[in-house]
Amino acid sequence: RPGKVRPMVKKFLAMADIMEKQGFPRPKVMTDMSGQRFWTVVSEFEVESFEAFASMGADDDSMKEADKIMSDYHDLVDSGHREIYNLEK
């Protein structure tokens, strides 16, 4: 949503801290600077396998912390989607 990028970025960066504590690579958090909508936020990260991705959040304490951080994120977004890519080497 317009004017809500900064709070969303803060949430994504806090989630990056949790991911890092779980041993995953730190995600990149990016904001749009050129598109029609300047309020786009993207989080990108790489994992070794889809199984590793699926295991993210398996730690109960981390999930509780993540739930707290993201509790009101729906107030900050109009829409969103997830894309999962396979890196072709």
Side-chain angles (χ1 to χ4, degrees):
R1 292 191 174 166
K4 303 296 181 180
V5 168
R6 215 30 54 200
M8 195 67 198
V9 166
K10 287 181 181 179
K11 288 183 179 297
F12 276 43
L13 292 174
M15 291 298 295
D17 292 340
I18 292 173
M19 289 176 63
E20 209 168 29
K21 286 179 194 174
Q22 288 185 330
F24 291 100
R26 186 167 184 85
K28 296 176 188 174
V29 178
M30 301 168 278
T31 54
D32 181 23
M33 295 180 58
S34 64
Q36 185 177 6
R37 297 178 172 213
F38 292 104
W39 49 85
T40 299
V41 181
V42 174
S43 178
E44 175 188 294
F45 56 94
E46 243 181 81
V47 292
E48 288 296 317
S49 65
F50 185 76
E51 290 76 19
F53 173 76
S55 75
M56 294 173 72
D59 176 14
D60 285 338
D61 290 335
S62 294
M63 281 305 297
K64 288 177 186 174
E65 190 177 352
D67 287 345
K68 183 179 176 185
I69 290 167
M70 298 303 287
S71 65
D72 61 349
Y73 86 93
H74 287 288
D75 297 336
L76 306 176
V77 300
D78 284 329
S79 66
H81 64 276
R82 178 179 295 177
E83 298 175 2
I84 300 173
Y85 294 96
N86 186 45
L87 182 59
E88 302 293 340
K89 296 183 180 185

